[in-house]
Amino acid sequence: MTIYRASAGSGKTYTLTRAFVERLLEQNHPQAYLHQLALTFTRNATEEMKTRILDYLNELSLAPEEGKRGQAVALRSAILHDYGRFSVYTIDAFFQKVVHSFIWEAGLPPAYTIELDSQRLLQEAIDEVVDEVATHGQNRKWIGAMLSEWIQEGKRWNVQEALAEVGKQVFDERFRSFGADLMDKLCDKEYLFAYMQELRDWDVHFCRQMEAHAEEVISFLSDHGLSTTDFKGKSLSFMRYFNKVKGGEYLPPNTLRKALNDESAWSGKNDPKASQIEAILGSLRSLIQPCMDFYDAEAPTRIALKSTLELLPQMGLAADIVRHINTLLANDNAVHLSQTLLLLSKLTAQSDAPFVLERMGCRYSDFLLDEFQDTSVLQWNSLLPLVHNGLSQGGVSWVVGDVKQSIYRWRNSDWQILGGGMEEDLCVYKDKIKRKVLKQNWRSREVLVNTVGSLFEQLTATFANEEITKAYNDVKQDVAPNKAGSGGYVSITKVVPVKEPTKEQSAKERVLERLPFLIIELQKRGFLPSDIAILVRKNDHGQQITSALMAFKERPEARGYCFEVVSPDSLFLDRSPEVQLIVAIFKRFVFPCDGLNNRLIEQLCIQLNTPCPPTLWSGPLQYYSLPEAFEEVIRILGWTERASSFPFIQELHNQILNFAKKSPGDLFSFVRWWEQNGNRVTLSLPLSGSAINILTIHKSKGLEYPVVVIPFCDWELDYRSVQAPVLWVRPTKPPLNRLPLIPQRYSSQMAQSLFTQDYVHEKIQYQIDQLNVFYVAATRAIDELHLFLPQAGNAPQSLARILGNQLFVEGEYTDNSEPDCRTFGAPVYPVRAPSREKETGYLLTQYASSVPTLRLRTRLADETPEAASTSPRTQGVILHALLSKIRTSDDIDTAVAALVQEGVLSRDKTEQAQYVATLRGALSQPQALGWFDGSWILRNEASILLPSERSRTIRPDRVMEKEGRTLIIDYKFGKPVPAHQRQMEEYIQALHQMGYKQVEGYVWYIPVFPLSSPPEKSKTQ
């Protein structure tokens, strides 16, 4: 096994490609590629790896050595003719392939889909938790107690916000892997109530002990004619601490601690009571010392205990959120990506690696693991048996990564696996493990390589931390031979706020003022706008910069220069008016009475100079499948040749096709999905043209640009209080250790608690994360790097402040620098070589759209083509929706108004009256009168989670309880079929299993068929 530490620009893909191909040729077998597996982290990296391998084989096919040439030709031919088994995958795609081989063992549905939209799933689960409070006794009591405590303490009591904080935990890999023990206890609210009461009892005991110590000291002073204000400092004396203890202030002042070892600290020379104090000083100190000792021994426990009591109420709902997430996924026949990792980890832990590979139909012995610093613990645990098996069979593995570029810890990546954890896990092969460092930088010019290396050596030295030193021990790179003497240019500008009578500007405002002039200077020297990348830490910073450049574009100084930008903001799909119009048209077919949407269509048609012809509304578009409806809209609007909009139209088309693969694919479902997710969809197709690139540092990873500008190089190297994470730590001291893991808020208080080591570890990891982000940003440049250091705030751990203190010392400026600017090297004047020009690619001039000519037409038996919109099926859907909103017969009019407001029911008064009459007629039937009289405890469409491996859910339409009697009512709107009776029997059986004794079930056919009770076997007394 070879472990490569590959710093930025070190040519790792080139090195790996050759190592991969040489291994294939070494085996001298045209199908050797079937035994090799390469894993990367992105699709682009996967495609690049495949392309590089084939390019290298093409190169070898022209080699002068006949033997190697023949091998390369044979291997290339075999791969191209069997490309589907050429195993270069993203790590997630490979894991999905493994899990798919174990569908039955994992308890997964055969046609499951992978859910990636964590935010939507989480919000729906939180809504479910809130909605079930009325019917979930334990949670109602729990949330009620939680709100009561928050209100008494004057805290914010927004339940949704509290649950949103919990939501950050539930998809965290570490939280999901805590095991059943913790999850069971978090679900058991009675256990948590008892646990929290025990913590409160301990805290009460602590407070009483401290107050007893304080009272003993005060009584002792009183017995000797003294008070706490008679000591040195009088009303400000450190002895006033014992009065404050009674008010709940328990932290002893440092002056008191020092006084215990300093006799002169108790009274002044001219103090009238100095002799009295001196006489009792020995006894007094012997009383105070036990108080200090008790506090020092128990305070760390109390700090941890208080943090647990603050966080546990909302964390106690984490298991409920997970439960609802699992139910939602089961209903959608889906699995979340985080679940597959847990399943895979269990499968590989319980099975031999050869068996896992056999089930996949693979025989891998050689493994290439790219970007390994981004691997998580669960991912590595799943890969470890496979790598172990390959090494034991004489296989070869290559592991490549750079801990300095690990910037995805928020996605569960753990750079410490590459930093040494892997070698510990494979210690039996320690003689076969070699480490290599790719030292040469093939990307950047000489000045950039040397300057960035020196900058990080100074920066990391200021932390004097062993872990940071270890992570950055290879930060100094060598200049590649082809870059020797190539020059380069680095500028680092320190920007301070301006506070003058006539002008006041923040440091960031001054950066935004200077930035356009830097862009003008770069373009004057020959750089294209697309050569320039402005890297930001946050999306809102990108929006600020975009706004500033757009505003400057109107000024006279901007004439002749390009200030067009490609930014994250400009790539959001819902910002395109063409996309807005297409979605609005879809929405009109779903909610024809939505006046606001109809007005939006009118405005967009005017803006785009695109009339909506009558054929759009009178045609059969609403009966088309979603992809067909999209193409029909494009054709009717005449946008098949609207080339300027093709990137956005094509991306919307891709989203529609992907949506249709894993969902019903109807207009209503897509409109609902778009309203929840459309504002997060961005353009994945590259926009060509001459424009300045504005992107986040995370998205820039793996890319390179001739010029890189980092305008706001000022992020802090420790958490702000609003960003402080919740850490789960393992307690060992009672009473905290009754839970296997407890939540702790990262803060300076945590540093004084039982979990100091956990606090220090998290702080160092965060510092490394932020340094890594800076390293990634600073190593994207080829020719020039420009840093701005806004000096704002008073945070000593700000990156801008640390760099400013290092670089800007009086008397150390270079001769050609401004007072606030350090420069290295000389400005670059690029030479435009033909090879540097990017290929334009194929320019799409027409977006093909065809009219479907063959389709399968189905129709209900009682449906006519003229009355499709008022078919019994449509009426049944609307009646079902109305009944779900009705508790008593008095709610009919309210329910109808609600559906009209939602756009589900037409505003036609005649049609509304028909539904009202139908419902009143149905509810007036003798037996139904008693069902809707308001005397029952009612659950409308309440979900029941069945005790099965797949956590299947059933949802009866109406469940009612009264006087020990339980009724299940299920609404139907068609002809009676046996399946309806079987469904009712399942409902009845489920309620019996839940402990309900007297259960009756009725299938109610509305309105065509009279009220009918199911056969006796389905009606249970």
Side-chain angles (χ1 to χ4, degrees), residues 460-674:
T460 54
T462 62
F463 292 91
N465 179 270
E466 185 178 343
E467 276 198 77
I468 294 176
T469 302
K470 179 182 176 182
Y472 277 82
N473 63 358
D474 61 346
V475 71
K476 193 76 173 176
Q477 290 181 276
D478 297 333
V479 179
N482 66 329
K483 298 288 186 179
S486 58
Y489 185 56
V490 176
S491 75
I492 305 175
T493 305
K494 178 180 178 180
V495 185
V496 297
V498 172
K499 291 186 178 180
E500 299 175 355
T502 58
K503 184 178 183 181
E504 185 171 335
Q505 281 184 307
S506 69
K508 287 189 175 180
E509 287 173 340
R510 295 193 68 199
V511 171
L512 293 174
E513 190 178 71
R514 293 185 180 203
L515 189 58
F517 295 99
L518 172 60
I519 291 172
I520 290 175
E521 180 196 339
L522 291 169
Q523 293 186 36
K524 280 182 179 178
R525 288 198 264 114
F527 286 105
L528 298 175
S530 56
D531 290 336
I532 304 169
I534 300 176
L535 304 186
V536 294
R537 190 75 174 83
K538 303 174 183 177
N539 279 327
D540 60 340
H541 290 168
Q543 293 169 7
Q544 292 174 25
I545 292 168
T546 300
S547 299
L549 295 183
M550 292 298 98
F552 186 85
K553 186 171 67 170
E554 305 302 322
R555 291 171 54 174
E557 303 98 307
R559 290 176 185 169
Y561 301 99
C562 177
F563 282 90
E564 298 297 326
V565 298
V566 177
S567 68
D569 189 53
S570 68
L571 296 180
F572 278 108
L573 211 58
D574 68 343
R575 304 295 172 86
S576 164
E578 288 85 358
V579 171
Q580 293 175 11
L581 180 56
I582 294 171
V583 174
I585 289 171
F586 286 171
K587 189 174 181 180
R588 176 166 173 174
F589 282 104
V590 177
F591 303 118
C593 301
D594 187 338
L596 188 62
N597 183 67
N598 295 341
R599 181 62 178 161
L600 176 62
I601 292 174
E602 294 175 8
Q603 293 295 327
L604 288 171
C605 287
I606 295 171
Q607 178 184 343
L608 296 170
N609 194 25
T610 301
C612 283
T615 54
L616 181 62
W617 313 117
S618 61
L621 185 141
Q622 59 183 316
Y623 305 115
Y624 286 1
S625 68
L626 183 60
E628 288 178 345
F630 170 81
E631 292 199 40
E632 182 71 359
V633 169
I634 296 298
R635 187 186 64 80
I636 293 176
L637 294 178
W639 285 356
T640 56
E641 297 182 358
R642 197 182 183 92
S644 62
S645 306
F646 284 171
F648 293 95
I649 291 174
Q650 186 174 349
E651 182 60 32
L652 178 62
H653 198 176
N654 288 338
Q655 294 292 330
I656 286 173
L657 292 173
N658 290 333
F659 179 83
K661 287 179 183 177
K662 57 183 181 182
S663 69
D666 59 293
L667 293 180
F668 174 79
S669 299
F670 179 75
V671 167
R672 183 177 63 176
W673 175 86
W674 184 263

Side-chain angles (χ1 to χ4, degrees), residues 376-446:
S376 72
V377 172
L378 277 182
Q379 288 174 334
W380 171 235
N381 288 343
S382 301
L383 289 171
L384 179 58
L386 306 183
V387 175
H388 192 292
N389 179 67
L391 292 174
S392 67
Q393 294 179 350
V396 176
S397 289
W398 304 270
V399 177
V400 192
D402 180 16
V403 296
K404 302 186 298 298
Q405 297 186 67
S406 176
I407 59 175
Y408 295 112
R409 194 163 70 95
W410 49 280
R411 290 184 185 171
N412 304 309
S413 69
D414 187 351
W415 66 266
Q416 295 179 89
I417 302 173
L418 179 64
M422 171 185 290
E423 288 156 288
E424 293 178 11
D425 293 334
L426 295 170
C427 58
V428 294
Y429 303 105
K430 62 181 179 180
D431 296 334
K432 296 182 180 180
I433 297 177
K434 296 182 292 184
R435 274 193 173 270
K436 292 186 178 181
V437 179
L438 302 179
K439 291 284 291 181
Q440 293 181 324
N441 187 314
W442 298 84
R443 171 185 297 156
S444 304
R445 291 180 183 253
E446 182 176 15

